[in-house]
């Protein structure tokens, strides 16, 4: 079996990273601080919570964001299509249904182990830190202290 990968953050980027790794046969430990800790922008305990907009931007294959969505479809994660709402040429979703769909898909993947606790230390091995602008203060301090 392959070495276990670590992903910190079950937002959209962290869930995508975990899904991509698991799709390729890599076991993943996905760390998520919710429901034990929230930032002011968080409102639910679900994964891939869209806090700013329900639009995932263009759905056209003629641009990078559209191509990324198509890649995710081909890898089996079709959350956006399953929770789509009308938005012209953009791909917009029902936020709650989208989060529920991604949470269920990630939690049910046999190669993804979910750990619900705040990561306040950086792993001592290779890891994907996918906490973005909603990083907890403890982890942000650790990241800021990295050399370079």
């Amino acid at each position: 079996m392959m070495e276990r990968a670590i992903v910190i953050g079950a937002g959209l980027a962290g869930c995508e990273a975990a899904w991509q790794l698991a799709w390729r046969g890599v076991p993943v430990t996905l760390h998520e601080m919710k429901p034990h800790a929230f930032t002011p922008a968080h409102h639910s305990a679900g994964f891939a919570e869209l806090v700013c907009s329900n639009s995932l931007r263009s759905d056209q294959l003629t641009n990078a964001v559209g191509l990324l969505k198509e890649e995710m479809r081909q890898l089996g994660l079709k959350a956006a299509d399953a929770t789509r709402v009308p938005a012209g040429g953009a791909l917009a979703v029902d936020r709650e249904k989208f989060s529920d769909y991604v949470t269920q898909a990630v939690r049910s993947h046999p190669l993804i182990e979910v750990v619900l606790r705040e990561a306040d230390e950086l792993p001592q091995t290779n890891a994907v830190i996918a906490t973005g602008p909603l990083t907890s203060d403890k982890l942000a301090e650790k990241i800021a202290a990295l050399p370079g």
Side-chain angles (χ1 to χ4, degrees), residues 61-148:
L61 296 180
T62 56
N63 61 59
V65 293
L67 286 173
L68 180 61
K69 290 177 197 70
E70 182 57 28
E71 289 172 5
M72 289 304 295
R73 289 178 184 117
Q74 290 179 20
L75 288 174
L77 188 54
K78 301 177 183 191
D81 291 330
T83 60
R84 184 179 207 133
V85 295
L91 177 55
V93 298
D94 178 299
R95 291 176 200 225
E96 290 179 20
K97 289 179 181 176
F98 179 80
S99 176
D100 291 346
Y101 188 106
V102 173
T103 302
Q104 163 63 23
V106 168
R107 284 182 164 279
S108 66
H109 196 292
L111 290 179
I112 301 175
E113 172 193 8
V114 175
V115 175
L116 297 177
R117 72 171 178 75
E118 185 175 357
D120 53 10
E121 295 289 333
L122 293 170
Q124 296 302 306
T125 185
N126 291 334
V128 176
I129 310 299
T131 55
L134 301 179
T135 303
S136 69
D137 290 342
K138 291 177 190 175
L139 189 59
E141 288 174 13
K142 301 292 183 184
I143 294 169
L146 289 172

Side-chain angles (χ1 to χ4, degrees), residues 3-77:
E3 185 176 336
R4 182 165 286 278
I6 297 171
V7 177
I8 299 178
L12 188 54
C15 287
E16 182 176 344
W19 191 265
Q20 294 268 358
L21 287 161
W23 184 263
R24 288 166 173 78
V26 177
V28 177
T29 300
L30 175 63
H31 293 265
E32 173 55 39
M33 67 181 185
K34 297 186 306 180
H36 306 293
F38 287 77
T39 69
H42 289 123
H43 298 289
S44 80
F47 299 170
E49 181 180 5
L50 302 176
V51 296
C52 296
S53 172
N54 71 330
S55 174
L56 301 176
R57 299 178 43 205
S58 176
D59 198 27
Q60 308 302 311
L61 296 180
T62 56
N63 61 59
V65 293
L67 286 173
L68 180 61
K69 290 177 197 70
E70 182 57 28
E71 289 172 5
M72 289 304 295
R73 289 178 184 117
Q74 290 179 20
L75 288 174
L77 188 54

